[in-house]
Amino acid sequence: MRTAIYPGSFDPLTNGHLDVVQRAAKLFDRVVVAVARNEDKHPLFSLAERLELVKKSIGHLPNVEADSFEGLLVNYVVRQKAQSIVRGLRAVSDFEFEFQLALMNRKLNENVETIFMMPKDTYTFLSSRIVKEIARLGGDVAVFVPEHVQTALHAKFAPGTPL
Ligand code: ADP
């Protein structure tokens, strides 16, 4: 059983994340989308909300599940009996941080491999941060996130107004 962990803040999940999940699901027997608590990043959505949005987005993928974690990622990977970490690479700007993270995780546990996946080119400009900024300013994020994520963003930024 080859299991991969796809960790991230997912604040909130976007179509770019989903693209990576779908690609990973073809390569591994089991993929766990692992929502990091990351309170120090002051997420817009609570951990429970982020997890729920991920769960609703992966229902159509039988070998994908969602979970949350805190603490060291490599320890979580071992607890899940996984062998790999999946991360998305959008552009060269992601590379330096991701390279550092991957090598540090290898130092902490040399049995865990990090795999990088490139999303469809139309998602390379997409980030949770940009989606939140557009939604906060009242812009349309329908093409960037699943419908229920759009509804959740709307509820955060314009509570009480009809969708
Ligand atoms: P983190 O806070 O750990 O970076 P994110 O939720 O922002 O968490 O991202 C999780 C992973 O998904 C990271 O590897 C990030 O590079 C990747 N990712 C984010 N957006 C996209 C996208 N549009 N296309 C591909 N990968 C993405």
Side-chain angles (χ1 to χ4, degrees):
M1 176 83 131
R2 311 298 299 175
T3 298
I5 306 297
Y6 180 30
S9 312
F10 302 103
D11 183 40
L13 174 132
T14 69
N15 289 340
H17 291 128
L18 256 193
D19 183 278
V20 170
V21 171
Q22 278 159 353
R23 287 171 203 281
K26 288 188 207 155
L27 294 181
F28 291 91
D29 301 312
R30 175 173 163 253
V31 175
V32 181
V33 182
V35 183
R37 179 172 279 278
N38 275 354
E39 290 305 331
D40 49 338
K41 280 195 174 178
H42 303 293
L44 173 67
F45 292 96
S46 70
L47 181 64
E49 288 170 330
R50 286 179 278 144
L51 183 58
E52 191 53 33
L53 292 175
V54 170
K55 279 189 177 155
K56 276 191 185 161
S57 311
I58 57 168
H60 60 296
L61 298 165
N63 60 337
V64 179
E65 55 197 79
D67 190 18
S68 60
F69 77 102
E70 51 186 317
L72 267 187
L73 174 61
V74 285
N75 293 348
Y76 176 75
V77 171
V78 171
R79 282 205 302 280
Q80 279 286 352
K81 298 188 172 34
Q83 302 77 26
S84 308
I85 296 168
V86 166
R87 294 285 286 178
L89 267 191
R90 285 162 291 192
V92 179
S93 50
D94 278 342
F95 181 79
E96 198 167 327
F97 174 70
E98 293 292 342
F99 184 70
Q100 197 180 13
L101 197 65
L103 291 188
M104 184 50 79
N105 282 331
R106 182 183 283 164
K107 265 264 180 292
L108 294 171
N109 186 336
E110 62 182 21
N111 298 317
V112 174
E113 290 295 344
T114 301
I115 313 266
F116 292 103
M117 313 219 63
M118 269 76 74
K120 194 168 167 214
D121 54 352
T122 44
Y123 298 139
T124 53
F125 60 90
L126 197 51
S127 70
S128 300
R129 190 186 59 78
I130 262 176
V131 164
K132 281 182 283 190
E133 189 66 6
I134 297 170
R136 190 175 66 80
L137 298 171
D140 184 5
V141 294
V143 293
F144 305 134
V145 295
E147 202 176 330
H148 58 275
V149 173
Q150 189 188 0
T151 307
L153 280 164
H154 198 269
K156 282 277 178 204
F157 290 121
T161 50
L163 292 173

